[in-house]
Amino acid sequence: MAGIVLVHGLWSDGSSWLRVIAELCALGHNPVAAQLGLETFDDDVASVRRTLATVEGPVLLAGWSYGGVVIGEAAREIGRETGSAALGKVGALAYVAGFAPAEGESVDGLSRRHPGSLIPRHVVVAGAYTYIDRAHFGEVIAHELPAESAAVGAAVQKLTRIGLDRVAVGRPAWLDLPCHYLLTTDDRAVPPALQREMAARMGADVTEIDSSHAPLLTRPREVAAFLDKACGSLPPGG
């Protein structure tokens, strides 16, 4: 079937895709999760490109939350001087409640367009890093999770370097590739109105799901079905 590279969001790592990976494998796909350092945007993009280079193309590149910003840059052709085997391999993009800034925009700027996110209320600054207040992690990210599971998610958060959300991006790859968007209508982290706005200007094929910000954790079968459908827009080849 298809090669799929999965990119996580802030305060998380590649293991956030575990249940989705199991579902995708059952469908016959070959998913791989990239691991972001969450230290600098350029390093996160480079990490995704390194992962792409290990997967046979054409590839569906999928990003959750902040991962959406990263995939829009990682799939962009930036010139032969990079020498990256990853560039040009991506055949389509898929966003799971993902940020999709246009050229010159940032996550921070997009986040200010619509009210409703609980992140500003519950983000904690720890030196040069941030995390979500552990007592409120489930409320912000995945309110459907049982309390025990939310506590685990809170405990394994990855600290995120301050400033990642302020990076202004270049010309995004979504201008040139087929795009798919899984819109989470009960999201308390990225307002559905913002998701709908970003998906519309991308011309994305939109699927709506009654979910919190983390359907990866709460609705993995439906996320896998969304990604399986998105693979239909990949060009033939391999």
Side-chain angles (χ1 to χ4, degrees):
M1 298 288 281
I4 304 173
V5 172
L6 307 165
V7 183
H8 62 84
L10 301 180
W11 308 298
S12 63
D13 63 18
S15 68
S16 57
W17 292 98
L18 280 177
R19 297 181 67 192
V20 175
I21 288 171
E23 296 288 348
L24 288 171
C25 287
L27 293 171
H29 294 296
N30 300 304
V32 177
Q35 295 284 2
L36 308 183
L38 302 181
E39 290 281 347
T40 74
F41 181 68
D42 287 346
D43 285 349
D44 289 344
V45 170
S47 179
V48 172
R49 287 180 171 159
R50 286 193 298 271
T51 303
L52 283 168
T54 70
V55 181
E56 293 295 325
V59 173
L60 176 68
L61 183 56
W64 170 46
S65 197
Y66 164 77
V69 186
V70 180
I71 67 173
E73 179 73 13
R76 182 170 66 94
E77 290 282 6
I78 57 174
R80 295 179 182 176
E81 70 276 5
T82 64
S84 173
L87 301 183
K89 181 180 287 188
V90 178
L93 300 173
Y95 293 77
V96 178
F99 285 98
E103 185 171 4
E105 292 181 342
S106 67
V107 170
D108 180 62
L110 287 173
S111 297
R112 298 174 188 275
R113 289 191 182 179
H114 296 275
S117 174
L118 295 181
I119 290 176
R121 189 184 308 173
H122 296 300
V123 69
V124 179
V125 175
Y129 296 86
T130 65
Y131 65 96
I132 298 298
D133 186 333
R134 297 181 182 105
H136 295 278
F137 180 86
E139 176 187 355
V140 176
I141 303 298
H143 54 269
E144 313 101 313
L145 282 177
E148 298 82 359
S149 298
V152 170
V156 300
Q157 285 183 81
K158 187 170 185 175
L159 295 180
T160 294
R161 172 75 72 168
I162 290 174
L164 276 184
D165 61 344
R166 301 173 194 155
V167 176
V169 302
R171 185 181 188 277
W174 54 256
L175 289 167
D176 305 307
L177 293 170
C179 295
H180 305 264
Y181 201 101
L182 185 63
L183 195 156
T184 46
T185 61
D186 197 19
D187 199 316
R188 299 176 183 176
V190 180
L194 175 60
Q195 295 183 48
R196 193 165 283 112
E197 177 185 318
M198 294 186 292
R201 71 178 179 182
M202 284 194 291
D205 178 32
V206 177
T207 299
E208 296 196 5
I209 183 174
D210 183 20
S211 167
S212 67
H213 188 58
L216 286 66
L217 306 177
T218 62
R219 311 280 282 276
R221 183 165 295 180
E222 289 159 271
V223 174
F226 160 75
L227 296 173
D228 178 61
K229 179 183 176 183
C231 287
S233 63
L234 291 174

